[in-house]
Amino acid sequence: MIEVKGLTFSYGKDKQALHGLNFTVGDGEIFGFLGPNGSGKSTTQKILTGILRGHGGKVSLFGQDISTPHGPEFFQKIGVLFEFPYLYANLSALDNLSYFASFYPKEQRRDARELLEMLEFKPDFLKKPVSSYSKGMRQRVSMARALVGGPRLLFLDEPTSGLDPSGAVLFRRIIEQERKKGTTVFVTTHNMMDADLLCDRVAFIAGGNLVALDTPKRLKEKNSNHRVVIDYLYRGQRESITMEAPELETGIPFAHDEIISIHSQEPTLEDMFIQYTGRGLS
């Protein structure tokens, strides 16, 4: 679905933002593209969506080079959720979606009301102007905008931004549903929980270079210390012990009355992000 070979980009003589990126995204894959601020993450997404021109290397979507001229039918297969909601503030949710849906063929359009209902948008605000909406409500309309054209390829920039925990769970469920329909999803986010729960693979970018690319599970396993922490009860006292995982292969090797919990000391995806990029999430 997406093929990137030797991608470079410079904002000027001494401002090279990307240094030869190479990666692919398969059909129906949810791919996470993660990096600190200023790492080249947004530059890459702008190139992939056709917003930014003048790159070096090769970028192909749907098997076609993004640099060659394309008609509207090419971009009608793409949906984009921007980090900052791009909506007309004086129009309602329905009016916004009606306008943006007009750029797609009728047979491709999805029903705006059904999308907003799926996104649990408050019915009382359907015809009120966007300027009266909360950030979470605007995010729901923006997601509906990204989906209204029935895209085959979906770019999501900070999809759960501005949402409460239940809204974030809803969005993750919807993204999974879209993938089940065959949609390919390219996600950029600072939310490591979203990346860990959603993404088949994640790429870490730092200083315009890809520094890691694998599944979240394998990234964590490769960097695990293979230790476990066991909490247990013995003679009425709660105890805790840290052990090497292989020591448990033949059973629990110490006296105990009840095992309360066993936790691996596997690193989190956020730990891996910091390890590979050298920076936190801010």
Side-chain angles (χ1 to χ4, degrees):
M1 180 60 73
I2 300 174
E3 185 175 14
V4 175
K5 290 185 177 180
L7 177 61
T8 61
F9 187 83
S10 178
Y11 286 103
K13 188 175 179 180
D14 301 314
K15 295 182 179 179
Q16 186 155 357
L18 303 176
H19 302 273
L21 305 188
N22 294 283
F23 64 89
T24 60
V25 181
D27 290 355
E29 182 177 14
I30 300 178
F31 186 85
F33 198 70
L34 317 175
N37 293 334
S39 62
K41 182 174 73 266
S42 296
T43 298
T44 303
Q45 179 158 295
K46 287 177 182 177
I47 292 170
L48 294 180
T49 53
I51 295 172
L52 197 58
R53 302 286 184 175
H55 64 273
K58 184 178 179 181
V59 176
S60 298
L61 306 184
F62 315 109
Q64 301 177 59
D65 194 322
I66 193 79
S67 298
T68 59
H70 295 289
E73 67 280 355
F74 179 84
F75 293 100
Q76 286 168 350
K77 294 184 284 188
I78 298 171
V80 182
L81 171 67
F82 298 97
E83 180 180 1
F84 302 104
Y86 179 60
L87 302 166
Y88 291 100
N90 60 323
L91 298 180
S92 68
L94 289 175
D95 288 340
N96 266 282
L97 294 178
S98 177
Y99 173 71
F100 290 117
S102 68
F103 293 103
Y104 300 91
K106 285 185 178 180
E107 65 275 10
Q108 195 175 315
R109 300 174 196 167
R110 295 175 65 175
D111 184 86
R113 286 182 179 271
E114 289 181 3
L115 283 172
L116 290 171
E117 183 178 353
M118 177 181 71
L119 288 158
E120 297 182 0
F121 186 81
K122 296 177 181 177
D124 294 348
F125 283 82
L126 284 173
K127 296 184 179 181
K128 292 182 179 180
V130 166
S131 58
S132 67
Y133 297 174
S134 67
K135 186 175 180 181
M137 292 170 66
R138 293 184 189 210
Q139 193 74 349
R140 284 170 163 80
V141 181
S142 295
M143 177 62 98
R145 178 197 166 181
L147 297 174
V148 74
R152 286 179 53 199
L153 175 57
L154 193 56
F155 289 94
L156 304 177
D157 194 355
E158 301 293 349
T160 59
S161 175
L163 300 175
D164 59 23
S166 63
V169 170
L170 172 67
F171 267 46
R172 288 196 291 267
R173 186 167 69 243
I174 289 170
I175 293 167
E176 279 285 6
Q177 290 170 355
E178 292 304 309
R179 186 257 285 281
K180 288 178 181 177
K181 297 175 184 177
T183 306
T184 302
V185 185
F186 187 96
V187 181
T188 56
T189 182
H190 284 103
N191 189 318
M192 291 297 114
M193 180 180 291
D194 285 346
D196 205 351
L197 293 174
L198 275 175
C199 297
D200 299 301
R201 291 185 300 148
V202 295
F204 292 155
I205 183 173
N209 295 286
L210 279 188
V211 293
L213 173 57
D214 211 330
T215 67
K217 183 178 180 180
R218 282 199 291 263
L219 281 172
K220 291 182 290 185
E221 286 178 347
K222 283 191 296 188
N223 293 278
S224 174
N225 59 20
H226 304 292
R227 292 181 186 146
V228 294
V229 178
I230 303 174
D231 291 317
Y232 62 98
L233 290 178
Y234 183 58
R235 295 179 176 176
Q237 296 293 318
R238 181 168 181 145
E239 306 286 349
S240 181
I241 188 171
T242 300
M243 303 181 61
E244 300 292 328
E247 294 181 67
L248 297 176
E249 290 179 359
T250 56
I252 303 295
F254 54 84
H256 64 279
D257 296 322
E258 179 185 348
I259 298 296
I260 299 172
S261 64
I262 301 177
H263 296 286
S264 71
Q265 289 192 310
E266 178 183 273
T268 66
L269 194 60
E270 183 172 339
D271 293 331
M272 294 301 89
F273 180 92
I274 294 169
Q275 177 177 315
Y276 281 105
T277 67
R279 291 171 60 184
L281 299 175
S282 61

